[in-house]
Amino acid sequence: MTDPQPTPPPLPDVPAAAAAQEAAQADSTPGVAGVDDTGVPRLVGDLDDIGRGFLSALFDITFTRFITRRLASVFFLVGLVAIGIAFVSTVAGGLISGIGALPWNPGGGIALILSTVIVVPVLAFFAVVLLRFVIEAGVALVAIAENTERTAANTRRD
């Protein structure tokens, strides 16, 4: 026969509200801005910024420190500039080609101008959205890894 009720996990020694109050009174831990109502300390700044330098994290061959959050805005800005340059050059090239085709093929020239004016902005918009999705996915993956690392470090083993 199977056990009808699984055994519940052990309860903590101190309730969360009491732990939060104790931690709030002893708020002298460096890098901690206080505690929330569950007793978990809130860290100040980016996790990688606390006690770690950018260059040491960059050349960490064990990949235990992440630089993705710090560089995400730089990658996004560079991507936006690249998309903007591609947009301007494609629109200019399409309009010049369309205007150049008007004397010998008016229908084709008008179609090229209209398709350039309609399609290129839509593709540029989708490129910006895709860039944002990819960068957010990378940052979210790093955040999950950091939170998992923090959870594992704070898990009590009996």
Side-chain angles (χ1 to χ4, degrees), residues 5 14 17 22 31 41 53 55 57 59 68 91-92 101 108 114 132 138 146 148 153:
Q5 292 287 2
V14 180
E22 288 174 16
L55 287 177
F59 296 109
T68 306
V91 167
L114 285 177
R132 182 70 186 206
E146 289 173 346
T148 304

Side-chain angles (χ1 to χ4, degrees), residues 67-149:
I67 61 169
T68 306
R69 285 187 177 186
R70 295 181 204 170
L71 294 178
S73 59
V74 174
F75 287 143
F76 187 62
L77 183 62
V78 168
L80 287 178
V81 168
I83 291 170
I85 291 170
F87 172 76
V88 169
S89 64
T90 305
V91 167
L95 291 178
I96 290 170
S97 297
I99 293 170
L102 283 175
W104 55 272
N105 187 359
I110 291 173
L112 183 57
I113 291 171
L114 285 177
S115 64
T116 298
V117 170
I118 294 170
V119 173
V120 173
V122 171
L123 291 178
F125 174 76
F126 283 135
V128 171
V129 170
L130 181 64
L131 175 68
R132 182 70 186 206
F133 282 168
V134 168
I135 291 175
E136 282 184 7
V139 168
L141 189 63
V142 168
I144 290 169
E146 289 173 346
N147 290 337
T148 304
E149 180 182 337

Side-chain angles (χ1 to χ4, degrees), residues 13-101:
D13 298 334
V14 180
Q21 190 150 16
E22 288 174 16
Q25 291 172 355
D27 194 17
S28 63
T29 308
V32 176
V35 290
D36 61 10
D37 59 346
T38 64
V40 177
R42 288 188 300 259
L43 298 176
V44 177
D46 191 18
L47 287 177
D48 287 338
D49 289 338
I50 300 172
R52 298 178 183 168
F54 176 76
L55 287 177
S56 65
L58 180 65
F59 296 109
D60 175 26
I61 61 172
T62 61
F63 289 93
T64 55
R65 291 178 256 164
F66 301 105
I67 61 169
T68 306
R69 285 187 177 186
R70 295 181 204 170
L71 294 178
S73 59
V74 174
F75 287 143
F76 187 62
L77 183 62
V78 168
L80 287 178
V81 168
I83 291 170
I85 291 170
F87 172 76
V88 169
S89 64
T90 305
V91 167
L95 291 178
I96 290 170
S97 297
I99 293 170

